[in-house]
Amino acid sequence: MKTELIEKAYAVARERYAEIGIDTEKALAALQNISLSLHCWQADDVAGFENQGGDLTGGIQATGNYPGKARNIDELRADILKAASFIPGRHRLNLHEIYGEFGGRFVDRDQVEPAHFAGWIEWARENGMKLDFNSTSFSHPKSGSLSLSNPDPAIRNFWIEHTKRCRAVAEEMGKAQGDPCIMNVWVHDGSKDLTVNRMYYRELLRDSLDKIFETEYRNMKDCIESKVFGIGLESYTVGSNDFYIGYGASRGKMVTLDTGHFHPTELVADKISSLLLYTPEVMLHVSRPVRWDSDHVTIMNDDTLELCKEIVRCDALDKVHIGLDYFDASINRIGAYVIGSRATQKCLMQALLEPLAQLRQYESEDKGFERLALLEESKSLPWNAVWDMFCLRNGVPVGESFIAEVQKYERDVTSKRA
């Protein structure tokens, strides 16, 4: 798309928004300061480098077998950088523990150390990225159906130690980058069929988390993530939404809302304002749950748009952290990164351009017709011209032009991977 055309369209859009009291330059500046946390596992289908070729377990599934996935750390890093070159702004990278550099040796998860991520810390520094982190309780001989809530002390203590060590890794990441590393704890614990010990397992999980969080760190932040159910764990989930809201509120921990981890009729956007009243911050894992937690690539749909609008309406851009969490192996993986990231940013752009002051005035005056009318009319305002300008100023492809670039990378690089 020609630069002159983009600039002309933006000039018109800027004037149109000014008529309703919106400064598009402020919206552009605000979006520039929002960093997404890109999920490393999209590039290799959640395989990691601890046990390559091993099976995914613990309710994790990646659908599809599109050719060219990353086979090693160098390829993974190259793919992430290529995807980032099409995404406007500066973003973070979210790592799972199984993506450490173990030097060809088997390092069990209760032995992981910051040294196994020194290469990632240096790589992130060189490429202007900051890191987030996750403990990894799935795809391990000791995963089973219970980890941190396992009645067997040996297994439970193994996972407690693993998670403690992951927090130490996150602390070193945060210290090195001069910005807190956000570490997420999600465990798949649950039961395939009926259980009569709901309270018992939740007591164990609570006590395990208390042990894990005994050490206080200054350079990392903890967040805890719930789920409705997992594959093979359909009847009961120990770490339910109720459990983690209670734990987060009582312990002052950040709660993670994964858009695929709730019942299909629940609006995740509605949860943000409630959580922010009782927990210090909120972490989001954004995906597209076509049929519950199917982890399809995020698109600009109503759910994602409402989520972003609610963040802005709550004045919580500094309290809500946005990470992506899908792993689609049925399409070009780099393309999937770009689609989902740009879709989330497009939703944020629209949220930042919403005529919120006027809408709130109508609401305070009990003018329901006027409020609804403006909400509807704002949907057709020229936000896309502002988005195109955002891409142009960040030096990334505008519009659909990134498609050809992703295709070229596939021809030149990923198609040559065996």
Coordinates of all heavy atoms in Angstrom, one line a residue, residues 12 56 65 135 166 174 209 275 310 344 354 363 365 407:
V12 N -7.8 12.0 7.2 CA -9.3 12.0 7.2 C -9.8 11.4 8.5 O -10.7 11.9 9.2 CB -9.9 11.3 6.0 CG1 -11.4 11.2 6.1 CG2 -9.5 12.0 4.7
L56 N 2.8 -35.5 23.9 CA 2.2 -34.5 24.7 C 1.2 -35.1 25.7 O 0.4 -36.0 25.2 CB 1.4 -33.4 23.9 CG 2.3 -32.5 23.1 CD1 1.4 -31.6 22.2 CD2 3.1 -31.6 24.0
N65 N -0.3 -31.0 11.3 CA 1.0 -31.4 11.0 C 1.6 -30.6 9.9 O 2.2 -31.2 8.9 CB 1.1 -32.9 10.8 CG 2.6 -33.4 10.8 OD1 3.4 -32.8 11.5 ND2 2.9 -34.5 10.1
S135 N 6.2 -22.5 34.5 CA 6.6 -23.9 34.9 C 5.8 -24.9 33.9 O 4.9 -24.5 33.3 CB 6.1 -24.1 36.3 OG 4.8 -23.9 36.5
C166 N 11.6 -22.8 38.9 CA 11.2 -22.0 37.8 C 11.0 -20.5 38.3 O 11.3 -19.6 37.5 CB 9.8 -22.5 37.3 SG 10.0 -24.0 36.3
G174 N 14.1 -11.5 35.2 CA 13.6 -10.1 35.5 C 14.8 -9.2 35.9 O 14.8 -8.1 35.5
L209 N 1.1 -24.6 46.8 CA 1.3 -23.3 46.3 C 1.9 -22.4 47.4 O 2.8 -21.6 47.2 CB 0.0 -22.7 45.8 CG -0.5 -23.3 44.5 CD1 -1.9 -22.7 44.3 CD2 0.4 -23.0 43.3
L275 N -12.0 -9.0 39.2 CA -10.7 -9.4 39.7 C -9.9 -8.2 40.1 O -9.2 -8.3 41.2 CB -10.0 -10.2 38.6 CG -10.2 -11.7 38.5 CD1 -9.4 -12.3 37.4 CD2 -9.8 -12.4 39.9
E310 N -12.8 -3.7 27.6 CA -12.9 -3.7 29.0 C -11.6 -3.3 29.7 O -11.7 -2.6 30.8 CB -13.4 -5.1 29.5 CG -13.8 -5.1 31.0 CD -15.0 -4.2 31.3 OE1 -15.8 -3.9 30.4 OE2 -15.1 -3.9 32.5
T344 N -5.1 -9.0 17.9 CA -5.2 -8.5 19.3 C -4.9 -7.0 19.3 O -5.6 -6.2 20.0 CB -4.2 -9.3 20.2 OG1 -4.5 -10.7 20.1 CG2 -4.4 -8.8 21.6
E354 N -12.4 4.4 21.3 CA -13.8 4.4 21.7 C -14.1 5.8 22.3 O -13.3 6.2 23.2 CB -14.1 3.3 22.6 CG -15.6 3.2 23.0 CD -15.9 1.9 23.8 OE1 -15.3 1.8 24.9 OE2 -16.7 1.1 23.4
E363 N -24.5 7.6 29.8 CA -24.9 6.6 30.8 C -25.2 7.3 32.1 O -26.2 6.9 32.8 CB -23.8 5.6 31.0 CG -24.2 4.4 31.9 CD -23.3 3.2 31.8 OE1 -22.8 3.0 30.6 OE2 -23.1 2.5 32.8
E365 N -26.4 10.2 32.5 CA -27.7 10.9 32.3 C -28.8 10.0 32.0 O -29.9 10.5 31.7 CB -27.5 11.9 31.2 CG -26.5 13.0 31.5 CD -26.1 13.9 30.3 OE1 -26.6 13.5 29.2 OE2 -25.4 14.9 30.5
Q407 N 5.0 -16.1 3.0 CA 5.2 -17.1 2.0 C 6.6 -17.2 1.5 O 7.1 -18.3 1.3 CB 4.3 -16.8 0.8 CG 2.8 -16.9 1.1 CD 1.9 -16.4 -0.1 OE1 2.3 -15.5 -0.8 NE2 0.8 -17.1 -0.3

